[in-house]
Amino acid sequence: MVKHQPLQVYERQLCLSCITGIYGCRWKRYQRSHDDTTKWELLWSIILLFTFCLLLVWFYFWWEAHNDYNEFNWFLYNRSGEWSDGTVPILATTAAGFTYIAFLMVLALCHVALGQQLNLHWLHKIGVTAALLTTVIGVISVNQTWGQEWDVIPISLQATGPFLHIGALAAVTALSWIVAGQVARSEKTMFQVVVVLLYLSVLLGLYVVPLYISSPCIMDPSTLKQRPDVIGHQGAPMLAPENTMWSFQRALQMNVTGLEADVAISVDGVPFLMHDLTLRRTTDVGKVFPDRHMEDASSFNWTDLRQLNAGQWFLKDDPFWTVHTLSSSEKRLIANQSVCSLEQLLRLASYHNSTVVFRLRRPPPEHPCYYSWINDTLQAVQESGVPQSLVMWTPDEHRAQVRQLAPGLIQTSVEKRRLKRLNLDGISRLLLRYNKASTQEIGNFSQSNISITLYTINEPWLYSVLWCSGVSSVSSEASHILKKVPYPIWLMRPDEYCLMWVSVDLISFAVVIGIFIFQKYRTSGMRSYNPEQIMLSAAAVRRSSRDLNVMKEKLIFSEVGNGVGSAEELYEDNGYDY
């Protein structure tokens, strides 16, 4: 005698097959399972979630660090000696890894929503491990070589915090559909309580997050100060070779109010503009003086420096990916640029009535001007004929002597000090990196009549935040971009932000409650069953042959005893005419 199970009907579920197949390579029906996820697979789900969160922060960091890509590439150049855009491979791998991990997270959520067991395929486990290790190595590397850049995250949150809060709240609200479904289907009270409490904790945390979001752009528009002045950092290095006359002229065309440069001193005592310690990156010294390309830039005399070309490297390396936007005449002009002296820059600034700020680098001890470098630079300033009120003097060495010889210079410090010390040294201006001054410090310095210039500001969002903070001026490599920012990107009154915050919270809470009620009502009349195996009742067995031909039938046989039944016997037992 043979026992058999009732006739079963299977419906094609293409979507479910794709979800379980891509996530765990479970393409067949019999490979799927509604059993609880094993502890091992649950651990991999936690690893997947952690990797997703880490990649999300990593991706956000590099997105906001766009303001300082040139600084990062310069760090790489100092280590390798070759100029290349190191952000391209980092951005490519980060985007690919984040897309891959986010896709797996979506598939995992779909498994939970459908009640399927989580079973990540071993290939995906290797991929998740590779993404996690790569990201961890990247975080450690950035922390060691570029640790100061992490400050961009809290600063950027001042511009993106209110909008990221809305996005996070929308995502968590949408997850309530899955959470409510799991709670409604579960028969374990403890599981229901834990899941609900955990979800509500996250939700309530997001509801009160705006209490800790502070942004200078949440203010009364009537108290907004005037637009910060823009100083061309090394001229306009995105449009022309840095520290060349054409670069400064391009910056002046962008309506900058000042020019900033890095100054070194030649062997014969001529201050000239050069950012790097050597001439390799920005000149053709390897071609003109092949035996001296590794020497310090200050070891050359002014006659030798004048022989170098300081523009062809820009057309070759294209450091900002902007060469294709230049006309043929501009390219020819750039190709003929030479090393610029400080006196040339000062004369140009004097003609356009623009402020000049320069960082003076002291030559090596064996240099002939090691002790006279301050006097040599001060002499160049005086001989240029530029009004002293247009020059921001930054060296701290012999500052008292400089104040006596040139009392009209704007005494500027590149270090943040106490107000009392600044007043004693006669310093009226600060030149700081944008992460070295908080909004509160900017306000305190402004009240003490000390102006602050922050560098290097290239992104409109950062310029807008500093504008709202009350900064008087910024130094930028992208003056042509900031020129197009006549007003902060966003500005919101405190009462308007409070209304938006409360409204979003109330809408989210109402949606969550509605979803929980709907899921409870939806599953209240349902009994637990396997959606892939619907057992036919006696009435279904008696359907007409026309209806049965539409269905896909599968007969499951079981052996009992020593005999094996045939298909004919099974049909006869069910009332079919074989």
Side-chain angles (χ1 to χ4, degrees):
M1 180 178 181
V2 179
K3 293 184 177 181
H4 58 81
Q5 296 180 0
L7 189 65
Q8 299 175 340
V9 176
Y10 288 87
E11 297 180 356
R12 292 186 178 182
Q13 296 177 321
L14 182 60
C15 180
L16 182 60
S17 298
C18 292
I19 291 173
T20 56
I22 297 175
Y23 188 82
C25 201
R26 294 185 171 191
W27 298 98
K28 305 297 183 181
R29 290 189 294 267
Y30 64 84
Q31 294 176 331
R32 302 170 195 163
S33 175
H34 287 265
D35 297 335
D36 293 337
T37 303
T38 63
K39 293 182 179 180
W40 174 247
E41 293 297 334
L42 185 60
L43 176 61
W44 273 106
S45 300
I46 296 175
I47 295 175
L48 176 62
L49 177 61
F50 176 76
T51 305
F52 172 77
C53 295
L54 184 61
L55 266 172
L56 182 63
V57 175
W58 181 247
F59 183 80
Y60 178 80
F61 166 76
W62 280 104
W63 183 271
E64 298 300 337
H66 185 270
N67 183 83
D68 304 312
Y69 281 178
N70 187 55
E71 180 182 295
F72 176 74
N73 291 332
W74 189 71
F75 285 158
L76 295 181
Y77 170 78
N78 288 335
R79 288 177 172 268
S80 64
E82 297 292 335
W83 179 267
S84 62
D85 194 343
T87 62
V88 173
I90 294 177
L91 292 174
T93 54
T94 300
F98 179 75
T99 303
Y100 171 65
I101 297 300
F103 181 62
L104 291 182
M105 277 296 302
V106 172
L107 291 179
L109 292 176
C110 292
H111 275 70
V112 174
L114 297 173
Q116 288 289 322
Q117 184 186 52
L118 291 174
N119 189 5
L120 188 64
H121 194 257
W122 64 271
L123 285 177
H124 290 318
K125 292 177 181 177
I126 294 176
V128 171
T129 303
L132 178 60
L133 293 178
T134 303
T135 307
V136 170
I137 293 174
V139 170
I140 295 175
S141 301
V142 168
N143 192 57
Q144 292 178 348
T145 61
W146 204 26
Q148 63 179 357
E149 190 63 20
W150 290 116
D151 293 336
V152 76
I153 293 181
I155 294 175
S156 65
L157 289 178
Q158 297 179 8
T160 61
F163 309 101
L164 291 179
H165 166 251
I166 295 177
L169 191 58
V172 174
T173 302
L175 285 178
S176 64
W177 179 268
I178 298 177
V179 175
Q182 292 296 308
V183 172
R185 287 193 296 266
S186 177
E187 298 178 355
K188 299 179 181 179
T189 305
M190 181 60 67
F191 175 81
Q192 293 175 332
V193 172
V194 171
V195 171
V196 171
L197 288 179
L198 182 61
Y199 177 76
L200 289 181
S201 299
V202 175
L203 193 63
L204 292 176
L206 287 176
Y207 286 164
V208 299
V209 157
L211 292 175
Y212 304 95
I213 294 179
S214 60
S215 174
C217 294
I218 302 177
M219 60 179 296
D220 188 350
S222 61
T223 61
L224 181 66
K225 295 185 178 180
Q226 66 178 4
R227 186 177 186 271
D229 296 332
V230 177
I231 297 175
H233 181 67
Q234 300 176 350
M238 292 188 179
L239 305 176
E242 63 186 53
N243 287 324
T244 60
M245 287 299 293
W246 178 240
S247 180
F248 294 116
Q249 290 173 0
R250 289 289 286 151
L252 291 171
Q253 293 174 4
M254 301 302 159
N255 298 328
V256 299
T257 59
L259 302 172
E260 181 182 356
D262 303 281
V263 178
I265 299 180
S266 65
V267 174
D268 48 352
V270 178
F272 65 97
L273 310 185
M274 185 59 57
H275 179 267
D276 298 357
L277 294 178
T278 65
L279 303 171
R280 291 184 301 153
R281 182 174 67 92
T282 58
T283 68
D284 59 346
V285 65
K287 179 180 178 181
V288 180
F289 303 104
D291 297 333
R292 304 180 62 188
H293 69 282
M294 295 299 295
E295 294 183 10
D296 193 288
S298 59
S299 64
F300 292 78
N301 58 44
W302 180 239
T303 303
D304 294 339
L305 292 172
R306 291 293 294 173
Q307 299 179 39
L308 301 178
N309 185 288
Q312 292 179 352
W313 73 272
F314 182 82
L315 300 176
K316 176 184 176 182
D317 295 339
D318 195 7
F320 294 96
W321 304 82
T322 54
V323 172
H324 69 280
T325 63
L326 304 177
S327 64
S328 300
S329 58
E330 288 177 326
K331 292 180 181 179
R332 288 193 298 269
L333 187 60
I334 288 173
N336 294 321
Q337 292 299 304
S338 59
V339 178
C340 180
S341 67
L342 175 60
E343 185 175 349
Q344 290 176 313
L345 172 62
L346 294 174
R347 291 183 183 277
L348 178 66
S350 176
Y351 178 79
H352 292 275
N353 196 32
S354 298
T355 303
V356 176
V357 54
F358 54 86
R359 296 166 176 266
L360 183 59
R361 184 171 67 248
R362 188 171 190 175
E366 64 276 7
H367 196 278
C369 301
Y370 179 73
Y371 296 102
S372 62
W373 63 299
I374 293 292
N375 292 330
D376 293 338
T377 306
L378 189 59
Q379 181 180 356
V381 172
Q382 294 173 339
E383 291 179 354
S384 66
V386 63
Q388 295 184 3
S389 59
L390 294 179
V391 179
M392 296 171 57
W393 184 266
T394 60
D396 286 328
E397 289 80 0
H398 309 290
R399 190 180 289 273
Q401 179 183 354
V402 172
R403 290 174 58 188
Q404 293 179 356
L405 297 176
L409 297 178
I410 303 174
Q411 295 298 322
T412 305
S413 175
V414 295
E415 296 181 1
K416 185 172 61 176
R417 303 173 182 177
R418 295 182 178 180
L419 290 173
K420 185 177 181 180
R421 178 63 184 277
L422 295 175
N423 293 329
L424 289 176
D425 294 339
I427 296 175
S428 60
R429 204 174 190 103
L430 292 177
L431 178 64
L432 305 173
R433 195 176 188 271
Y434 66 85
N435 65 327
K436 298 299 183 181
S438 64
T439 302
Q440 183 179 0
E441 290 174 334
I442 293 173
N444 294 336
F445 284 123
S446 298
Q447 293 177 0
S448 302
N449 295 324
I450 295 180
S451 302
I452 296 182
T453 301
L454 299 181
Y455 66 90
T456 306
I457 313 302
N458 298 328
E459 292 295 311
W461 69 264
L462 182 55
Y463 182 68
S464 299
V465 169
L466 296 178
W467 186 347
C468 297
S469 301
V471 171
S472 58
S473 60
V474 300
S475 177
S476 174
E477 297 170 335
S479 54
H480 62 293
I481 295 178
L482 300 187
K483 178 184 178 182
K484 303 176 182 178
V485 186
Y487 198 75
I489 293 178
W490 67 272
L491 197 62
M492 193 179 304
R493 297 177 182 272
D495 54 346
E496 294 175 347
Y497 176 66
C498 184
L499 177 62
M500 181 187 71
W501 162 32
V502 174
S503 301
V504 171
D505 286 356
L506 291 178
I507 294 174
S508 171
F509 184 74
V511 171
V512 169
I513 295 299
I515 290 177
F516 268 83
I517 294 175
F518 177 77
Q519 287 284 45
K520 182 65 176 177
Y521 172 78
R522 178 172 171 264
T523 58
S524 61
M526 299 175 61
R527 58 186 177 88
S528 179
Y529 69 96
N530 189 333
E532 291 189 350
Q533 298 181 351
I534 305 177
M535 307 302 295
L536 292 180
S537 62
V541 175
R542 290 193 294 269
R543 290 180 180 176
S544 63
S545 59
R546 178 181 179 184
D547 294 332
L548 292 176
N549 288 335
V550 180
M551 302 179 182
K552 181 178 181 181
E553 301 177 356
K554 181 178 180 181
L555 301 178
I556 301 178
F557 300 93
S558 302
E559 294 186 18
V560 178
N562 297 327
V564 180
S566 62
E568 291 88 347
E569 295 174 345
L570 184 61
Y571 271 88
E572 291 174 356
D573 291 341
N574 284 277
Y576 286 94
D577 186 3
Y578 181 75

